[in-house]
Amino acid sequence: MTSPDVVVVGSGPNGLAAAATLARAGLSVQVFERSEQAGGGTRTAELTLPGYHHDICSAVHPLAVASPFFRAFGLAERLELLTPEVSFAHPLPDRPAGVAYVDLARTAHELGADGAAYRRMIEPLSDRALAVARFTGSNLLGIPDDPIAATFFAARVLEQGTPVWNARFREEQAPAMITGVSAHAIVRQPSLVAAGAGLALQAHAHAGGWPIPRGGSQAIADALVADIRAHGGEIVTGHDIRRLSDLPPARATVMDITPRAFLALAGDRVPARYRRALSRFRHGNAAAKVDFALSGPVPWADDRVRKAGTVHLGGTRADMAWAENQVARGRHAADPYVLVSQPSVLDDSRAPGDHHVLWAYTHVPAGSDVDQTEAITRTIERVAPGFRDLIVAHRSATAVDLSEQNPNYVGGDISAGAATLWQLLARPVLSRDPWRTALDGFYLCGSSTVPGPGVHGLSGWYAAQSALRNTFGRRAPVDLAP
């Protein structure tokens, strides 16, 4: 394929979603990826020892069953999704953990005095989880297709994103559970952005659950790659694009990169007004990650946590807010928030014999080169005594390391752009079609575009639809079904 209809730069989930959509539309598609393995943030590799399979970045996938793109693509029919009965757990020292079962009634029952309040807050969202996914996964300049779901969602965001966030609760578990999820956003607590991100994920925790793909997140990338190739597309790995002239001529170019990278590639071809708009796009704070190979399962003090695919650590709501706000001020938290995935409690293909793998990250200031192995280990040990004794090997990646591994993670910002109210609307620019650039035939589709971070494929899907409309004059929907 020397002169394809479409060139895609970057094979993260959004780049692959764009390529799959355009290939399904009957166009010739060529994908270029700088790494030797396609997948971007959905890659899986033996990071510690042979036979221990660790997810490079994304690990748990609530949107694998809720994303409109993945539902149209039939992802659940193309790979095996393992859904734990406990979506996430939040251990607390010296008291029972908060445990979020897929079963909301069971969750509320075990929360005791706060159970009814928790259920009243979450149930209207979990009952409308697909509508919440459509609303939060679309351009917020549009009109929601389910105003009732949007109204319930907005009311709860206003509550949990402001200092009145404790008004309905009396104990520690439920508020800690909510903040543990909202802290995924890497922003100040409380804030409207954090509450919005957290409540969207929490709705899925009690609807379709938080599944993991058997074999690791790479299975998602592999399913997309297989579909692209089945429809005539080509994936070229180990090929770094440094300027637009490195690309073959094509009618459309879709780029799974940041606005900063696009400006660097395009140079003075970008009109001045659009260049200024993209230059205002800001990146946020960062993650630092540690992967562990373990000789056995994590010895959580509360046995119920052993059934969770995801675990949030960091103490009470107040403790986590303090830690996250330290990071927002450019400091390393002494007792950080830690996000843990323990996939091998469900997937025995991830480690040999009775051994396990553990994925963990914490939040740090952008550009940090501080190794967080000890901070993460200490935080886990606090609620899982004996954890240290199980560590066979580990691999640490600082924020700087993450940035070097994936150029979209500027300064270690795994969200590829700060999560601010303005950048929820203007991602990367304020527009009804933010994926279309001012350079004719060029489109952006990474996590720096609407609807933002997460393995949902929506940014790529929307960019592909924009390219079909604006470059190829096509408006008919593309059938993505298996």
Side-chain angles (χ1 to χ4, degrees):
M1 187 186 296
T2 56
S3 185
D5 295 317
V6 181
V7 164
V8 176
V9 178
S11 70
N14 287 309
L16 293 177
T21 303
L22 293 163
R24 283 294 194 102
L27 300 172
S28 56
V29 177
Q30 196 168 26
V31 180
F32 290 95
E33 167 56 48
R34 68 188 291 271
S35 298
E36 297 298 332
Q37 182 182 27
T42 52
R43 288 177 294 153
T44 304
E46 296 176 320
L47 297 178
T48 55
L49 296 169
Y52 295 81
H53 301 277
H54 305 271
D55 291 318
I56 298 286
C57 186
S58 66
V60 182
H61 299 280
L63 293 173
V65 290
S67 158
F69 168 73
F70 281 138
R71 290 176 67 82
F73 185 69
L75 183 69
E77 300 172 47
R78 298 172 183 263
L79 48 80
E80 185 178 0
L81 291 171
L82 305 172
T83 304
E85 64 175 291
V86 176
S87 293
F88 66 89
H90 194 109
L92 290 163
D94 305 321
R95 70 190 77 190
V99 179
Y101 299 94
V102 177
D103 184 340
L104 179 57
R106 184 178 178 186
T107 303
H109 174 73
E110 293 192 7
L111 283 174
D114 280 338
Y118 180 89
R119 183 169 184 171
R120 283 194 299 270
M121 187 178 76
I122 298 298
E123 193 164 40
L125 305 182
S126 61
D127 285 350
R128 298 169 176 83
L130 294 181
V132 170
R134 291 194 302 272
F135 167 60
T136 57
S138 61
N139 192 336
L140 297 181
L141 296 179
I143 299 173
D145 63 357
D146 188 334
I148 294 175
T151 300
F152 277 124
F153 184 79
R156 284 150 178 77
V157 168
L158 287 172
E159 174 194 320
Q160 291 301 307
T162 59
V164 301
W165 62 345
N166 285 320
R168 71 167 73 213
F169 300 115
R170 289 179 285 171
E171 298 184 344
E172 296 287 1
Q173 284 92 336
M177 290 167 66
I178 296 162
T179 299
V181 182
S182 67
H184 286 224
I186 321 182
V187 294
R188 291 181 181 275
Q189 299 281 349
S191 71
L192 297 177
V193 170
L199 289 169
L201 290 174
Q202 205 140 5
H204 303 310
H206 300 294
W210 287 8
I212 62 170
R214 180 174 288 279
S217 296
Q218 185 71 46
I220 296 175
D222 290 347
L224 288 162
V225 167
D227 197 78
I228 293 164
R229 287 176 171 156
H231 292 86
E234 181 183 359
I235 313 289
V236 181
T237 58
H239 193 104
D240 192 11
I241 304 299
R242 298 182 179 274
R243 59 191 67 82
L244 295 186
S245 59
D246 292 341
L247 295 168
R251 293 179 64 189
T253 301
V254 183
M255 313 188 83
D256 186 358
I257 61 177
T258 65
R260 182 183 300 185
F262 175 67
L263 292 176
L265 288 176
D268 58 9
R269 291 177 58 179
V270 179
R273 183 176 179 182
Y274 187 70
R275 172 178 287 276
R276 286 195 297 271
L278 287 189
S279 297
R280 288 192 288 269
F281 188 82
R282 294 290 176 261
H283 287 273
N285 280 314
K289 179 170 176 280
V290 181
D291 291 285
F292 296 95
L294 305 176
S295 61
V298 179
W300 302 107
D302 188 325
D303 283 342
R304 297 173 301 162
V305 181
R306 303 184 186 210
K307 298 179 180 179
T310 302
V311 184
H312 302 131
L313 305 174
T316 65
R317 163 172 273 182
D319 294 334
M320 287 181 287
W322 183 88
E324 290 298 278
N325 293 341
Q326 288 294 303
V327 174
R329 296 183 183 103
R331 305 168 186 166
H332 292 83
D335 293 306
Y337 165 82
V338 175
L339 175 57
V340 171
S341 170
Q342 45 183 11
S344 47
V345 301
L346 293 170
D347 182 1
D348 59 8
S349 73
R350 302 293 294 273
D354 295 329
H355 285 210
H356 287 256
V357 294
L358 199 75
W359 173 110
Y361 81 61
T362 189
H363 298 154
V364 295
S368 168
D369 61 358
V370 178
D371 187 319
Q372 292 294 308
T373 302
E374 175 55 30
I376 289 174
T377 302
R378 183 177 64 247
T379 301
I380 298 173
E381 180 81 18
R382 191 173 297 145
V383 288
F387 169 71
R388 286 182 188 274
D389 299 334
L390 299 176
I391 300 172
V392 177
H394 78 276
R395 179 181 183 271
S396 175
T398 67
V400 170
D401 294 332
L402 293 178
S403 182
E404 291 174 350
Q405 291 167 17
N406 189 330
N408 284 352
Y409 304 155
V410 176
D413 172 14
I414 59 174
S415 297
T420 65
L421 282 174
W422 174 248
Q423 288 194 174
L424 290 181
L425 296 171
R427 198 169 181 96
V429 295
L430 190 67
S431 170
R432 291 272 187 176
D433 190 351
W435 310 278
R436 186 184 185 186
T437 77
L439 204 58
D440 188 41
F442 283 82
Y443 302 84
L444 289 173
C445 77
S447 293
S448 300
T449 66
V450 170
V455 180
H456 43 60
L458 290 169
S459 303
W461 193 36
Y462 295 148
Q465 293 175 41
S466 180
L468 288 170
R469 285 193 309 271
N470 296 301
T471 298
F472 298 98
R474 302 188 190 183
R475 293 187 175 274
V478 177
D479 183 7
L480 297 170

